[in-house]
Amino acid sequence: MLHGLMMQMPLLISALIKHADRHHGDTEIVSRRVEGDIHRYTYRHLHRRARQMANALASLGIRMSDRVATLAWNGYRHLELYYAVSGSGAVLHTINPRLHPEQIAWIANHAEDRALFFDLTFLPIVEAVAPHCRSIRHWVAMIDKEKMPATSKVSLLCYEDLINSHSDDYEWPEFDENLASSLCYTSGTTGNPKGALYSHRSTILHTYAIALPDSLSLSARDVVLPVVPMFHVNAWGLPYAATMTGAKMVMPGGQLDGKSLYELFEQERVTVSAGVPTVWQGLLAYTEASGLKFSTMNRTVIGGSACPPAMIKLFQEKYGVQVLHAWGMTEMSPVGTVATLKAKHLALPPQQREAVQQKQGRVVFGVDMKIVGDDGGELPWDGKAFGDLLVRGPWVVREYFKGEGGNPLRNGWFPTGDVATIDADGYMQITDRSKDVIKSGGEWISSIELENIAMAHPAVAMAACIAVKHPKWDERPLLVVVKKPNAQVTREELLAHFEGKVAKWQIPDDVVFVESIPLGATGKMLKTKLREQFRDYKLPSVA
Ligand code: ADP
């Protein structure tokens, strides 16, 4: 056996911030703060303050592998913690503030968090959960001294005080790249949330992969605005990919409405963004109503749930913004596939190119995937056969934190819970989450396909398709629709809109119009809630 003779250097998150400082020291990070203003500084400042914070963490008694939690928006202080906590060998646990306080306390206890850093917006949550969090010793408000809130319920430390009282004289430690770097809990729509525990190695490999040209194609010429929150699977890896490539970062804080986002896009000359479809709905509603265009944004990542084809068309054909439809999950750090074209697609007319982009895409190198049938046998890549989607790779979980839920793997593969097809070119398309599939008379109906068709109707703002019990067919599709403001459309017109687009038996049985569709903690439609709401719904076909 002959070993290679290259240096052994662990892949560590601290290397990213050192790199950004040394090679892109004057590149900006711009943040909309909870204070209400716009804050600007550079990678050099970020690195200095991250080192000060690393010293502060040590002074608080935070040791290697201790968990440090955050309840925070996208902003420079949160970014400092990304590097200070993980870089010093502790584990950053980003908590989703949109979860119920009971769930937040449960997660913090499960993770055994030692400290929790929060944006002032979340003080009420902190006050509610503090008495129930057994392991947290320090509550740190991410604000300066003058703006520290008065609360008698929790004893608070001040973030800026901590930074100011510590020097930036700090050497990032070297350690095993397989040590844990950060922790994210799945939203736990079924059962308790489970922790995906990332390592330094998995994070760095994932970062290389998502920056590649056929992923997000990030570079030092980009200005990145992650709308996806830093508490939703590490903002899909963008806070790491930006330091790796030297891209400028723009952080929107808590103001995620269309107008506030649009202003930042334009003022900071953003070139690339990322978020779930519901966020883009808000932004596009604003630009459509105001007749605005994007002057610098040239691409955006859309994922987390299926991107409606109508949105791809609008972004690309009207706004000249390329849509990068991506798929992944918390258990995958999160990126698994991105729908970028191959050379042979370039000459296709827009409609056919968009048909490729509507799929969830090809794997990024490092991820392996397959679809299997009920017997576990692999299904063909013909774009038609659909089955359970399984994945594996160096940034895919092998088990959950503290062994929760037992061994999740099937013969070394992680079952995603998604049902998908894969075509001969390797483009995967999700037909459904297995729990959202509508099973009608032994046949499966894709709720995503029906929603995509509904969303293409000009009067529809949002649509969810759910299964409703049926005495003869087991389940039948019910379409739940939010109309656009002032739009008129009837049940009959919407049902007619499906004709010729899917087989007759797949057309929804009924349409109900609602004011709003419940969204989950990550901005996705909460179909579990809708199914509960319409559990006893009487379809006209059953009358
Ligand atoms: P949760 O929604 O449970 O918090 P994740 O955010 O990890 O967890 O979501 C992962 C799931 O989101 C995937 O398994 C898949 O069902 C869905 N998903 C993610 N991206 C897409 C996409 N582009 N199209 C369809 N579904 C998607």
Side-chain angles (χ1 to χ4, degrees), residues 145-165:
K145 208 179 177 86
E146 294 76 60
K147 304 209 177 59
M148 279 296 283
T151 170
S152 53
K153 295 193 178 144
V154 197
S155 150
L156 298 181
L157 294 174
C158 167
Y159 186 92
E160 292 298 332
D161 254 7
L162 276 178
I163 294 242
N164 292 333
S165 54

Side-chain angles (χ1 to χ4, degrees), residues 129-140:
V129 301
H132 309 287
C133 294
R134 294 185 293 273
S135 54
I136 298 180
R137 303 275 175 276
H138 311 286
W139 301 87
V140 187

Side-chain angles (χ1 to χ4, degrees), residues 96 185-189 232-233 236 277 302-307 325-332 334 337 358-360 416-419 430 432-436 448 521-522 524:
N96 187 335
Y185 280 77
T186 60
S187 60
T189 36
H232 187 197
V233 217
W236 300 348
I302 304 185
S305 52
C307 178
H325 191 195
W327 165 87
M329 54 199 310
T330 306
E331 289 89 336
M332 299 182 72
T337 62
Q358 281 161 25
K359 301 194 172 195
Q360 276 70 11
T416 61
D418 288 324
V419 180
I430 305 269
D432 248 317
R433 277 189 143 181
S434 51
K435 46 185 187 280
D436 294 337
I448 294 182
T522 53
K524 306 183 194 192

